[in-house]
Amino acid sequence: MPIESLNPATGERLRTFAPESTAEIEGKLGRAAAAFRAWSRRPIGERAAVVARAGEILEAERQTFGRLMTLEMGKLAGAAADEAAKCATACRYCAEHGEAFLRPESVASAEPPDAIRFDPLGPVLAVMPWNFPFWQVVRFAAPALVAGNVGLLKHASNVPQCALALEDLFSRAGAPEGVFQTLLVGSDRVEALIADTRVAAVSVTGSEAAGRAIGAAAGKHLKKSVLELGGSDPFLVLASADVERAVAAAVKARNVNSGQSCIAAKRFIVADAVYDRFASAFAAAMSALRVGDPTDRQTEVGPLATAAIRDGVADQVARSVAAGARVLAGGRALDGPGFFYPPTVLADVPADAPAACEEVFGPVAPLFRVAGIDEAIALANATPFGLGAAAFTRDAGEAERLGRELEAGSVFINQMVASDARFPFGG
Ligand code: NAP
């Protein structure tokens, strides 16, 4: 299948790429293996300097990189330039701290002296998603390259131009040939890449389905793997919360990246005492958001990245409504051109409806009414996911309990969940 770059705001085909041939992939794997031997032996300071230089280019050219993201996957123009700048921060952070993180450790005084070394693995395959087309890749590449690994990027098939721009970025930053390469291939080629003896490990960020397939292939071929998968983060509003502040944060947290973020708030769990006030203000604010052209700085919600994603979201909402959910805002895909779905609020969502138990990758917010904190925590934790959680309360004791009892990789009190290069991230 050809790899196509479409503009999600218009549906217009931008470019088409033929997937790389077996011979082309073979050449890249050979270059990765050769590059690893030399790159891993270079002093860490030299590797860090290349990553730092990539950060400088990202900062200087953030508008250009941002325009490419907007064009290819519909990210709002301001957010897209910010994403490139955030990548620059991650490069700087890894370049500055990599050496200290990887310094050999001594466990006990012994003769001869002992040391635990942190050695690179080799060529690492990175299977990446389109939703943060620069950030997800740089978040993988900056630490991996500083540590002495080399990267092989298999990016999502709808962002081939971003994938090529990333390869060019590391090359311009001074990475020797083979240190960071893009493979233009479909997901059908991933298992063969994992099986290849030159590939040491695989890192995937994507959906549960991709994680299952890649985790199985990594197990079959005994390769190390990192699986960074989907989420259905809870957003709790307790009786003591500042409701206005919670509404403002909820609108932002559900619509970040037009609703297409792993750590977007996806289930809104609200205490009975403030439910009606929160629900009406939230539905009104969601309805008032400006949906449209992502290049227009006034736009607040852009298109979804592909027609299939828009149709999937519409189907999840339709099935939730058929199961008994009530629409308070939005609820129907907008007419084309472009793949638009409006901010949507659902009330009375049954526990087994798609909006309650599946990840919805678009601006759809199901509301759940609970009696108090015990029920809120139980419902928040009643999910197989567990990336992040946000909770609004003005009670210090409740805040402390929420931090302890919410089963998520990170818990944010009185603010939305966000990632930061300096903190661990994951479920
Ligand atoms: P996706 O459809 O799973 O695709 C992600 C990557 O996996 C793409 O490169 C895709 O290639 C590849 N892939 C898909 N199925 C595969 C299979 N069976 N075997 C091998 N490779 C496969 O996900 P997406 O739509 O790009 O991204 C959205 C998902 O990523 C959401 O679930 C979101 O929550 C998650 N995500 C998680 C994080 C995190 O840090 N935890 C961050 C961002 C996104 P093709 O495009 O060629 O199919």
Side-chain angles (χ1 to χ4, degrees):
M1 276 230 311
I3 293 174
E4 285 189 332
S5 181
L6 295 185
N7 180 347
T10 61
E12 176 203 356
R13 182 171 292 106
L14 302 166
R15 287 188 67 181
T16 302
F17 299 84
E20 282 169 331
S21 66
T22 307
E24 284 168 316
I25 294 168
E26 179 57 29
K28 289 189 174 178
L29 288 168
R31 283 195 286 284
F36 174 67
R37 284 189 287 277
W39 180 248
S40 58
R41 290 183 185 128
R42 278 179 60 175
I44 188 166
E46 289 183 19
R47 301 195 299 255
V50 169
V51 170
R53 177 74 192 120
E56 286 164 11
I57 299 171
L58 281 158
E59 184 72 55
E61 300 179 20
R62 60 188 190 281
Q63 301 296 348
T64 312
F65 291 132
R67 273 194 292 278
L68 187 54
M69 294 182 229
T70 300
L71 195 65
E72 203 164 46
M73 51 67 66
K75 194 178 297 279
L76 296 183
D82 289 350
E83 179 169 334
K86 184 173 175 179
C87 292
T89 311
C91 288
R92 271 196 300 275
Y93 183 75
C94 293
E96 277 170 25
H97 300 282
E99 188 158 5
F101 290 155
L102 298 171
R103 195 164 288 142
E105 286 174 6
S106 179
V107 175
S109 53
E111 245 350 290
D114 59 48
I116 298 172
R117 294 168 46 84
F118 298 97
D119 286 342
L121 298 171
V124 181
L125 175 66
V127 182
M128 290 290 145
W130 49 265
N131 64 335
F132 291 91
F134 272 60
W135 170 247
Q136 295 300 340
V137 174
V138 170
R139 192 180 79 166
F140 149 76
L145 264 52
V146 170
N149 300 290
V150 304
L152 288 161
L153 171 64
K154 180 264 172 279
H155 216 325
S157 292
N158 57 322
V159 288
Q161 298 195 72
C162 289
L164 293 170
L166 284 155
E167 181 179 63
D168 182 56
L169 163 73
F170 285 104
S171 165
R172 285 194 287 142
E177 188 187 43
V179 166
F180 186 91
Q181 300 176 91
T182 284
L183 304 171
L184 286 183
V185 292
S187 55
D188 56 325
R189 304 296 288 269
V190 169
E191 178 165 0
L193 288 165
I194 293 170
D196 193 284
T197 52
R198 290 161 292 192
V199 171
V202 57
S203 175
V204 59
T205 301
S207 60
E208 293 164 80
R212 229 173 252 123
I214 291 171
K220 183 169 155 196
H221 300 287
L222 297 177
K223 297 291 172 76
K224 291 183 196 301
S225 63
V226 172
L227 310 177
E228 270 294 343
L229 308 180
S232 184
D233 285 6
F235 185 105
L236 281 62
V237 186
L238 299 183
S240 70
D242 175 339
V243 174
E244 257 175 49
R245 182 172 170 186
V247 168
V251 171
K252 230 173 135 189
R254 179 58 282 206
N255 294 290
V256 61
N257 205 28
S258 305
Q260 306 164 113
S261 168
C262 56
I263 50 168
K266 300 198 179 103
R267 293 176 297 136
F268 296 80
I269 299 169
V270 186
D272 186 41
V274 291
Y275 181 93
D276 292 334
R277 199 146 62 91
F278 179 88
S280 62
F282 182 52
M286 289 283 277
S287 301
L289 290 171
R290 283 184 293 264
V291 181
D293 177 3
T295 64
D296 179 343
R297 297 278 169 161
Q298 302 303 312
T299 299
E300 293 166 300
V301 179
L304 300 186
T306 66
I309 292 161
R310 191 255 336 259
D311 295 346
V313 168
D315 177 60
Q316 285 173 304
V317 170
R319 285 188 289 129
S320 299
V321 170
R326 204 158 42 84
V327 177
L328 302 188
R332 288 175 74 87
L334 303 177
D335 291 338
F339 314 134
F340 292 93
Y341 198 90
T344 292
V345 181
L346 301 175
D348 306 332
V349 182
D352 58 354
C357 59
E358 296 172 8
E359 179 180 37
V360 180
F361 221 51
V364 176
L367 297 179
F368 303 91
R369 188 193 290 262
V370 291
I373 187 168
D374 292 336
E375 204 187 329
I377 292 174
L379 185 56
N381 290 342
T383 173
F385 298 104
L387 275 180
F392 284 71
T393 172
R394 282 187 281 205
D395 178 316
E398 278 185 349
E400 197 272 331
R401 181 177 167 197
L402 290 158
R404 239 179 323 110
E405 295 188 17
L406 285 172
E407 292 164 3
S410 50
V411 175
F412 287 68
I413 302 294
N414 294 327
Q415 54 183 304
M416 64 183 269
V417 178
S419 63
D420 183 318
R422 296 165 300 173
F423 289 90
F425 182 85

